[in-house]
């Protein structure tokens, strides 16, 4: 049986690796009834989902009246869906104000570049799901509740330097990222671009594929630990692929 640390790591990996989720909100027009919808999402460095949604959408109208909601993310690639992994993040939706939204938009557009077209529509806004509790099912019989305290990661001290780290990796270490990608995920790519960094891993774009998430072996809270994780992964990949 996995310990709590491994369970939470698996659950976070599921949230990071998926890009489409089911929102469950309280219906404004049919009081007392749940309303399900589908949207893309990213997540903050500490593990809270972020959505880019229109004020005209029914789910947005619902959360503006009652912010209590949940997001379900799931693998969806198993022969038996009931045996696959799925995750429910429960909490309250909060609209992100303009000052914070600009930084979040940079990350969101790197993951979903086609979403830049929505900038012209003035009714699109970013919302964050402030986590209260997480339910994770890793497969048959692997059922776990995860508290807010255990789920949320502390803000890393390298956050303000993230753009510089990404630029450095893309300018000077594409070969290392190619090795890591092949070793960790079995993906060969002619071109690899780092898109975003989290304490538990990082996103890359391989050729024209959708973004891929590569996990660190442990949480990297400092700039030094990010560098060490990438160096260790590169050395491991070189040895494995030699």
């Amino acid at each position: 049986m996995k310990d709590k640390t491994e369970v939470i790591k698996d659950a976070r990996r599921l949230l990071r690796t998926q890009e489409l989720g089911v929102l469950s909100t309280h219906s404004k027009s049919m009081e007392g009834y749940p309303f399900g919808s589908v949207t893309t999402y990213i997540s903050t460095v500490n593990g809270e989902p972020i959505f880019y949604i229109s004020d005209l959408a029914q789910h947005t109208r619902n959360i503006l009246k009652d912010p209590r909601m949940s997001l379900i993310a799931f693998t969806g690639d198993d022969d038996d869906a009931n045996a696959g992994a799925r995750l429910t993040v429960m909490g309250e939706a909060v609209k992100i104000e303009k000052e914070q939204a600009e930084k979040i938009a940079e990350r969101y557009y790197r993951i979903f570049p086609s979403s830049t077209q929505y900038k012209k529509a003035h009714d699109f806004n970013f919302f964050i799901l402030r986590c209260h509790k997480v339910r994770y099912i890793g497969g048959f019989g692997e059922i776990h509740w995860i508290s807010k305290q255990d789920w949320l990661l502390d803000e890393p001290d390298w956050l303000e330097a993230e753009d510089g780290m990404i630029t450095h990796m893309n300018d000077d270490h594409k070969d290392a990222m190619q090795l890591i990608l092949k070793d960790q995920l079995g993906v060969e790519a002619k071109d690899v671009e780092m898109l975003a960094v989290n304490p538990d891993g990082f996103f890359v774009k391989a050729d024209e594929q959708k973004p891929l998430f590569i996990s660190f072996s442990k949480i990297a809270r400092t700039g030094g630990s990010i560098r060490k994780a990438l160096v260790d992964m590169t050395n491991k990949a070189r040895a494995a692929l030699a």
Side-chain angles (χ1 to χ4, degrees), residues 29-102:
S29 59
M30 296 183 65
E31 188 171 350
Y33 285 83
F35 181 84
S37 55
V38 176
T39 190
T40 54
Y41 71 90
I42 63 169
S43 51
T44 64
V45 292
N46 69 349
E48 292 183 308
I50 290 177
F51 322 104
Y52 191 36
I53 51 180
S54 169
D55 291 343
L56 301 178
Q58 188 62 56
H59 48 226
T60 309
R61 296 178 182 182
N62 292 344
I63 62 179
L64 289 175
K65 180 182 179 183
D66 186 341
R68 294 174 299 169
M69 61 166 294
S70 67
L71 167 77
I72 297 176
F74 55 96
T75 54
D77 57 0
D78 298 281
D79 293 334
D80 181 358
N82 289 322
R86 56 264 200 200
L87 173 85
T88 304
V89 182
M90 304 171 67
E92 294 185 356
V94 177
K95 183 178 178 180
I96 299 173
E97 298 305 322
K98 185 176 180 180
E99 310 81 61
Q100 294 178 295
E102 291 179 358

Side-chain angles (χ1 to χ4, degrees), residues 12 16 43-48 107 152-156 158-159 162 197-200:
R12 284 204 193 99
R16 304 292 196 197
S43 51
T44 64
V45 292
N46 69 349
E48 292 183 308
R107 171 176 281 235
L152 295 180
L153 292 166
D154 294 332
E155 184 173 294
W158 49 258
L159 191 57
E162 181 189 11
V197 183
N198 291 311
D200 51 328

Side-chain angles (χ1 to χ4, degrees), residues 178-195:
Q178 287 172 317
L179 288 170
I180 292 170
L181 184 62
K182 185 175 181 180
D183 180 48
Q184 294 286 323
L185 302 182
V187 175
E188 292 193 53
K190 294 181 179 179
D191 184 56
V192 178
E193 178 185 1
M194 181 178 281
L195 301 175

Side-chain angles (χ1 to χ4, degrees), residues 119-134:
K119 288 193 293 184
K120 299 176 182 178
H122 299 295
D123 62 343
F124 270 80
N125 292 286
F126 288 100
F127 285 79
I128 185 169
L129 175 52
R130 293 298 186 192
C131 173
H132 287 190
K133 205 167 189 179
V134 172

